[in-house]
Amino acid sequence: MNLRRRPRTTSEVSTSALNDIMFFLLLFFLIASTLANPNIIKMATPKSDNKIVIPKSVVVNIDEKGQYFLNHVPITVDRLPSALETELKGHEENTSILVNAYKLTPWEDIVKVMNIGRQLKVKVLAATQPEK
């Protein structure tokens, strides 16, 4: 009788490749985390008691019916120059007029507001929507 023992086979998991994989994963996450916010620099800024003066802006809206609104209050074209003058009194150098008109508003209506702003020596800006 042959009573020899058979050699047992043992199973092993080779972990030598796991070190390489872990290194590449660590490298990937380090690079990805620095690229997530490339323009942000964290800094401690000093505190100040100075008050920042934000220039005042007067809004003139022109809706699709051609009606004028000064700071969301309906107004006629005839009263617009005097109302703008009282609104801008004392703040002419820091203030601007923002014209927010409906997209199909005739240019004539927008130019009326621009001429009033030029007479009052105030910068006139037109509000637009960004292109998609």
Side-chain angles (χ1 to χ4, degrees), residues 17-125:
L18 286 178
N19 291 336
D20 295 336
I21 292 171
M22 291 303 290
F23 174 75
F24 284 122
L25 282 174
L26 179 67
L27 188 64
F28 170 78
F29 285 117
L30 284 174
I31 291 173
S33 68
T34 58
L35 294 178
N37 294 322
N39 295 328
I40 295 178
I41 300 173
K42 293 182 181 179
M43 296 178 6
T45 56
K47 294 183 180 178
S48 173
D49 292 334
N50 292 341
K51 304 283 185 202
I52 297 174
V53 178
I54 298 172
K56 185 178 177 184
S57 180
V58 178
V59 180
V60 176
N61 293 322
I62 306 172
D63 67 359
E64 62 271 3
K65 297 174 186 171
Q67 296 174 335
Y68 290 80
F69 296 86
L70 178 62
N71 291 334
H72 305 292
V73 177
I75 192 166
T76 62
V77 180
D78 302 333
R79 291 189 39 227
L80 189 61
S82 61
L84 279 172
E85 188 174 0
T86 57
E87 192 77 28
L88 298 171
K89 190 168 252 174
H91 301 288
E92 290 86 4
E93 67 277 349
N94 293 341
T95 310
S96 61
I97 298 173
L98 179 65
V99 180
N100 188 13
Y102 181 68
K103 65 181 177 179
L104 298 177
T105 301
W107 271 101
E108 182 181 349
D109 296 341
I110 298 170
V111 170
K112 285 179 188 176
V113 178
M114 294 175 80
N115 287 336
I116 294 169
R118 188 179 41 140
Q119 290 171 356
L120 296 173
K121 297 179 181 155
V122 177
K123 185 178 5 177
V124 179
L125 305 170

